Amino acid sequence: AQKITQTQPGMFVQEKEAVTLDCTYDTSDPSYGLFWYKQPSSGEMIFLIYQGSYDQQNATEGRYSLNFQKARKSANLVISASQLGDSAMYFCAMGVDNTNAGKSTFGDGTTLTVKP
Amino acid sequence: DTGVSQNPRHKITKRGQNVTFRCDPISEHNRLYWYRQTLGQGPEFLTYFQNEAQLEKSRLLSDRFSAERPKGSFSTLEIQRTEQGDSAMYLCASSLAVASGGRGDTQYFGPGTRLTVL
């Protein structure tokens, strides 16, 4: 079974500063993928970034980067230069990394508020 | 590029009624997923299809729930004899599974259908 833990129910950050959202995971599968999604108040889940368990480098997508520490089973999301539009709920998720896999397991999310 | 669409966006029904939701995935995607999300929690997996085959169904899903994807394109999720506990956001996602797995299975979500059972 897979489990995602997000221990920060809410986070605040000043506009233009960087923020780290924590995610730890547990799985017995040797190959897996980790995802981060953003969910604004409108409700739609927006894909942000992906990290494969065998990727040698941490993933980056624009202002988003994933701090992947495999031994510690953590996959923290770093948002640089926060903007007011970054205020949203952020979910960490995991999927088993093979063609027969399907579902993703989600954490309970972190609400990020960017202050002007 | 058209994203995932879901209809209706909102549904209010009385307890005991049947409801049906529709999801249209991204056109070239072969996988389609249904999730349920309640307030303050992350999405919870319900079921998924690869093309028209339903490959997995959550054990948490009661027999009142059924999903279909008859031609491997759009999908419907039906809830029979709705209960107040069914009130939630129902999310649909699609992905393009490729042989190498990994990022190719990134799921893209629709806007959801919010169900309220009175």
Side-chain angles (χ1 to χ4, degrees), chain A:
Chain A
Q2 301 169 333
K3 184 175 173 63
I4 296 286
T5 303
Q6 294 181 254
T7 58
Q8 305 156 312
M11 288 284 286
F12 291 88
V13 65
Q14 207 67 37
E15 192 179 9
K16 300 181 184 177
E17 293 187 349
V19 62
T20 297
L21 306 183
D22 294 342
C23 172
T24 58
Y25 61 91
D26 191 24
T27 182
S28 57
D29 293 294
S31 181
Y32 50 89
L34 294 155
F35 305 82
W36 277 91
Y37 289 86
K38 172 185 178 181
Q39 189 176 41
S41 56
S42 59
E44 188 162 349
M45 298 280 284
I46 302 167
F47 167 71
L48 296 178
I49 194 166
Y50 165 85
Q51 178 84 43
S53 59
Y54 289 112
D55 291 344
Q56 295 297 313
Q57 292 187 326
N58 286 343
T60 60
E61 292 281 353
R63 294 187 299 111
Y64 304 107
S65 61
L66 201 151
N67 183 3
F68 181 48
Q69 298 186 48
K70 194 171 183 178
R72 299 179 67 178
K73 294 189 175 181
S74 72
N76 298 339
L77 176 70
V78 181
I79 305 175
S80 63
S82 298
Q83 302 172 355
L84 295 177
D86 293 335
S87 293
M89 192 84 160
Y90 288 81
F91 290 97
C92 180
M94 165 187 283
V96 175
D97 200 15
N98 64 67
T99 56
N100 293 320
K103 66 182 180 183
S104 287
T105 300
F106 285 78
D108 284 336
T110 295
T111 301
L112 176 66
T113 303
V114 180
K115 297 195 280 188

